[in-house]
Amino acid sequence: MAFALHDVALRIAGEVHLHPTRLALAPRGFNVLLGPTLAGKTTLLRVLAGLVRPTAGAVLRDGADVTGVPVRKRRVAMVYQQFINYGHLSVFENVASPLRVAGAADAEVRRRVHRIAELLGLGPFLDRRPAELSGGQQQRVALARALVKDADLVLLDEPLANLDYKLREALRDELPRLFAGRECTVVYATTEPAEALLLGGHTATLDEGRVTQFGPSDEVYRRPVDLVTARTFSDPPINTAAVAKRGDRIELGRVASWPARGGLAALPDGPYVLGLRPHHVRIAGTAAGSGEDVVIAGKVSIAEISGSESVVHFALDGGTWVSQTHGVHRFDVGAEVRFRLEIARGLYFAPDGRRAGAEV
Amino acid sequence: MARIRLEQLRHTYRAKPAGDDDWALKRLDLAWEQGTASALLGPSGCGKTTLLNLISGLLRPTEGVVRFGERDVTALPPDARNIAQVFQFPVVYDTMTVYDNLAFPLRNRRVAPAEVDRRVREVAELLDLGPTLRHRAAGLTADGKQKISLGRGLVRSDVAAILFDEPLTVVDPHLKWRLRSKLKELHQKLGTTMIYVTHDQTEALTFADQVVVMDQGTVVQAGTPVELFERPRHTFVGHFIGSPGMNVLPATVEGTTVRFLGHPIELRPAPARPPPAGARLELGVRPEFVRLAADGIPVRIVRVSETGRHRIVEARHEDTPIKLLVGEGDPVPAEQAFLRFDPAHTQLYVDGWSAT
């Protein structure tokens, strides 16, 4: 089953909630909607579900226009951030409810509920009430209900956001396995870049009601089309700095310069924005670098150690940079420290935000 | 400003506690030196918020004593304890301006207007709230409201401690990053004792100099982020801290040789003494300390997940899963591979507790 948005747009009381959007979801796979709160992720999910009718454009299912089809006539399942279960029903009946609504026979209901409960580790809890379960188990119940009815389209709206960190990790690990081999298309909204990468599949980055890019997740991550997409897809935030191309060199203020290689060589002279993710800014001398790396000195403003990594904020050329380096490295605030910029990993953006040239 | 000490503290929400399980917090002694940045870390229900509420005075302990310096404050309510608190959901008066919100805790304590003005402007400056001081709080984004909430926690200069209860849990990743860095910076500037409750290991480890890891009402380990990462005392700490957590593998010991499913594993240092008969024996090694090698433990590669900075590789030896991290751009074999564990970062666990 292939789902697509054909120039779909949504305005409510004159306010743009969704700019015209054209998007063909990857069938039978994970489609991640990545963006901050209010970027339009939930709106897009609601349009796909048929819960809200777009003011322009069409929602297509295998090429057929289903825009006006009410949600109950679509084979759609949705899971929200807030676990929604029926408190007065047992876990079994919670999971069974969509099948009961569809009028399935008892034997069929039992067979399917047990199969999905097994898959989600809910077997021992079927007789309990949802309130007797942990948060992670309650969200599994909501997931089980979404999966039990073999929907064509499963919409997950930040389903792990309210869970403890470790539970989130475990369920995130489980999800792709759970959907592997199923026929349904999954759309998964999240604010977290790491989640988009770990789930694999495709990612659409959203910003202020606009899809800025859509493609295989690691492709969007490595080759963002513009600065907004690069920012949306970086955690910790990507470092940015004003640079200038002059002849065959790129200059970072008066601090450093390096040769304009590869696709950069052909760019016209002028101002650009350099984007460099924190893990491409290393503490100098910590690991073998490449010959293209540029070493600079910065003044430490914050030093954090997360156990396996050191995160150092430093001032350079009037801006603040963040370096993320493997291992434990302690520094005092105010210390001058040398950092190695893995400049070959740098992304360059024109003043209008669009990516310029291509990284090597 | 003082050292905070908990002595023989124990707490239950039940009128007649029977077994150990009835205690939300089992008996403990803990102390925080003046000026520390500390975190209480653990899963929901581990007792971390109970512990925080006992320090603040929102709860009175069933047993034991809470001391600020030498003073016994066990029976004092929160407002008599001289502490500031920041909660998970911002506590902001929507009808007041940002300025009045920040000034509230000071005016409440009849601080002189000139001093109120000085403190409010200082805190607003630190949190980049300066330009919004005259705005009504109602018009602010979630981001702005959480900053006000933090600002109200930070505005008093005379507090014994600032207690944070999951202050960044409901915040977007980008903002979380900024506010966490801000807090760290503020701690470095102000030197006030800060105790921060969270279930998020990244928040705990990056913010705190001292982390108290809790599980089921007990303190499992208290230490620096590096200690918790490199020498977890219990497999729970190894699992809970780190993403992915530590690999915990079945082990056997004969004499001085430790084996994993028949393969000898070198540990440095070696276990101090032979484990007691019948004990549960496990090896703990973090994915960061497992590497691909030309020989060693034969495995099948079953899955590779991208995180951007590195890849998480899931391998299997027979049916036992082992996770490892592989750097950006480093090759991962398609199917068969061999693994080695870093001897300095592999530990033997006896009934869950480190024996190395």
Side-chain angles (χ1 to χ4, degrees):
Chain A
M1 208 60 68
F3 292 89
L5 298 176
H6 190 77
D7 296 339
V8 159
L10 180 69
R11 276 170 173 275
I12 298 174
E15 200 183 320
V16 175
H17 283 233
L18 210 55
H19 289 279
T21 300
R22 192 175 287 202
L23 191 63
L25 297 177
R28 286 184 305 279
F30 262 81
N31 295 270
V32 177
L33 305 180
L34 172 67
T37 308
L38 299 180
K41 305 185 297 295
T42 302
T43 306
L44 204 54
L45 290 177
R46 291 172 60 83
V47 167
L48 279 165
L51 288 167
V52 58
R53 194 173 178 151
T55 41
V59 180
L60 306 178
R61 182 181 149 194
D62 278 347
D65 188 340
V66 294
T67 318
V69 178
V71 64
R72 63 193 158 76
K73 295 211 170 151
R74 302 183 185 203
R75 290 157 55 86
V76 173
M78 197 150 173
V79 175
Y80 302 86
Q81 176 176 351
Q82 223 70 35
F83 338 125
I84 300 178
N85 292 308
Y86 305 109
H88 62 290
L89 296 179
S90 66
V91 168
F92 182 98
E93 287 303 329
N94 263 281
V95 177
S97 60
L99 302 175
R100 301 267 190 229
V101 171
D106 263 359
E108 170 75 359
V109 170
R110 264 199 306 280
R111 192 180 63 75
R112 288 171 73 171
V113 170
H114 280 287
R115 197 189 57 190
I116 201 77
E118 202 54 45
L119 203 60
L120 279 160
L122 290 170
F125 310 113
L126 287 173
D127 294 332
R128 301 208 198 159
R129 299 281 157 107
E132 296 170 51
L133 305 183
S134 71
Q137 289 163 340
Q138 290 185 46
Q139 191 62 309
R140 282 199 171 94
V141 175
L143 277 169
R145 197 173 47 236
L147 292 177
V148 78
K149 61 179 176 183
D150 284 330
D152 296 332
L153 184 61
V154 176
L155 307 173
L156 307 171
D157 194 2
E158 300 192 45
L160 309 184
N162 279 11
L163 298 179
D164 261 17
Y165 175 80
K166 269 285 149 176
L167 276 174
R168 200 152 68 204
E169 192 181 284
L171 265 178
R172 187 175 55 213
D173 225 40
E174 254 170 61
L175 278 172
R177 292 179 223 250
L178 213 55
F179 286 100
R182 285 180 167 258
E183 286 297 302
C184 60
T185 298
V186 184
V187 186
Y188 184 106
T190 181
T191 60
E192 297 195 18
E195 208 155 88
L197 285 169
L198 283 166
L199 289 169
H202 287 62
T203 292
T205 40
L206 277 95
D207 178 67
E208 295 184 352
R210 203 186 296 277
V211 171
T212 63
Q213 191 170 353
F214 179 67
S217 301
D218 57 343
E219 179 77 21
V220 178
Y221 173 78
R222 282 181 214 292
R223 282 180 267 281
V225 293
D226 55 24
L227 185 54
V228 168
T229 305
R231 285 208 162 106
T232 305
F233 218 147
S234 300
D235 179 38
I238 190 168
N239 294 299
T240 56
V243 294
K245 177 166 189 277
R246 237 181 285 279
D248 58 0
R249 293 190 76 78
I250 306 282
E251 296 174 354
L252 170 63
R254 293 187 184 162
V255 175
S257 75
W258 53 89
R261 289 199 168 88
L264 297 176
L267 290 180
D269 279 12
Y272 293 91
V273 173
L274 165 71
L276 196 59
R277 290 193 167 100
H279 68 279
H280 293 136
V281 179
R282 317 268 184 157
I283 297 161
T286 52
S290 107
E292 292 178 39
D293 294 352
V294 171
V295 176
I296 48 93
K299 199 171 192 177
V300 174
S301 57
I302 305 176
E304 305 172 321
I305 292 164
S306 75
S308 58
E309 282 178 326
S310 305
V311 175
V312 182
H313 302 228
F314 62 95
L316 174 70
D317 194 35
T320 300
W321 287 62
V322 177
S323 147
Q324 193 173 26
T325 306
H326 199 77
V328 174
H329 308 277
R330 291 181 188 287
F331 298 106
D332 291 327
V333 171
E336 279 271 307
V337 175
R338 280 151 40 87
F339 295 91
R340 184 162 57 75
L341 310 182
E342 296 184 355
I343 214 69
R345 305 267 191 188
L347 303 165
Y348 295 85
F349 303 93
D352 68 0
R354 251 179 285 195
R355 199 161 104 250
E359 71 273 39
V360 186
Chain B
M1 301 243 177
R3 180 176 194 228
I4 297 175
R5 220 161 65 207
L6 310 178
E7 298 169 358
Q8 294 289 294
L9 203 73
R10 195 148 88 120
H11 192 72
T12 180
Y13 293 97
R14 292 177 190 267
K16 292 191 182 105
D20 225 23
D21 288 350
D22 287 347
W23 293 86
L25 206 61
K26 302 187 176 72
R27 185 167 288 124
L28 58 82
D29 287 274
L30 266 176
W32 289 270
E33 296 304 325
Q34 157 62 31
T36 31
S38 177
L40 304 177
L41 174 68
S44 354
C46 73
K48 56 190 191 295
T49 297
T50 300
L51 187 55
L52 196 76
N53 291 342
L54 290 169
I55 298 171
S56 71
L58 283 173
L59 279 177
R60 194 168 167 180
T62 317
E63 290 173 14
V65 176
V66 181
R67 277 183 209 284
F68 286 10
E70 288 312 309
R71 198 158 74 110
D72 180 346
V73 299
T74 318
L76 296 182
D79 55 338
R81 291 197 182 189
N82 205 21
I83 40 117
Q85 292 195 77
V86 178
F87 300 95
Q88 180 173 357
F89 298 97
V91 180
V92 171
Y93 300 108
D94 273 350
T95 53
M96 290 188 189
T97 61
V98 172
Y99 186 100
D100 290 340
N101 262 288
L102 292 176
F104 190 81
L106 299 174
R107 289 179 177 153
N108 236 358
R109 282 168 188 78
R110 300 178 193 287
V111 174
E115 173 68 3
V116 170
D117 191 64
R118 198 182 62 77
R119 289 294 303 166
V120 167
R121 288 184 191 282
E122 201 174 301
V123 166
E125 170 83 6
L126 286 173
L127 290 169
D128 307 319
L129 282 170
T132 64
L133 276 176
R134 291 291 156 212
H135 298 189
R136 261 187 214 297
L140 294 181
T141 56
D143 156 341
K145 287 188 180 174
Q146 192 53 290
K147 278 193 191 171
I148 297 180
S149 205
L150 286 173
R152 285 159 49 119
L154 297 165
V155 76
R156 290 171 55 202
S157 55
D158 59 341
V159 291
I162 308 175
L163 310 181
F164 301 90
D165 193 0
E166 310 241 6
L168 304 182
T169 300
V170 294
V171 164
D172 269 10
H174 279 71
L175 176 63
K176 193 181 277 191
W177 181 265
R178 283 215 313 275
L179 288 181
R180 205 183 61 213
S181 305
K182 203 91 226 175
L183 271 183
K184 184 90 183 172
E185 197 183 327
L186 289 170
H187 180 258
Q188 287 170 352
K189 266 191 194 138
L190 307 172
T192 314
T193 306
M194 295 187 183
I195 302 179
Y196 187 111
V197 163
T198 178
H199 66 262
D200 185 323
Q201 53 129 3
T202 311
E203 277 177 41
L205 297 187
T206 48
F207 170 76
D209 308 320
Q210 196 71 21
V211 180
V212 176
V213 184
M214 299 183 64
D215 186 33
Q216 297 175 28
T218 62
V219 172
V220 188
Q221 186 172 1
T224 65
V226 175
E227 284 164 359
L228 296 176
F229 188 79
E230 297 199 340
R231 313 294 294 174
R233 270 187 60 210
H234 194 277
T235 49
F236 173 80
V237 177
H239 163 76
F240 198 78
I241 287 183
S243 183
M246 182 171 78
N247 294 294
V248 178
L249 310 169
T252 54
V253 180
E254 294 156 45
T256 54
T257 311
V258 181
R259 290 176 196 274
F260 160 59
L261 298 178
H263 297 272
I265 303 289
E266 188 192 347
L267 310 185
R268 264 199 320 263
R273 54 182 168 279
R280 177 166 46 98
L281 302 179
E282 287 158 322
L283 277 168
V285 58
R286 293 197 175 278
E288 284 83 351
F289 302 122
V290 179
R291 60 182 175 81
L292 294 161
D295 57 5
I297 300 161
V299 292
R300 272 177 306 123
I301 308 286
V302 293
R303 188 167 162 204
V304 179
S305 321
E306 183 66 57
T307 72
R309 297 203 293 280
H310 43 61
R311 278 158 295 163
I312 301 170
V313 176
E314 196 180 315
R316 265 178 213 201
H317 174 70
E318 295 174 12
D319 284 331
T320 307
I322 306 172
K323 285 185 175 172
L324 62 145
L325 298 187
V326 174
E328 194 180 20
D330 293 340
V332 178
E335 281 170 28
Q336 304 298 320
F338 292 95
L339 302 182
R340 284 194 167 276
F341 303 160
D342 174 358
H345 291 100
T346 307
Q347 292 196 86
L348 179 69
Y349 291 86
V350 178
D351 290 330
W353 295 94
S354 170
T356 320

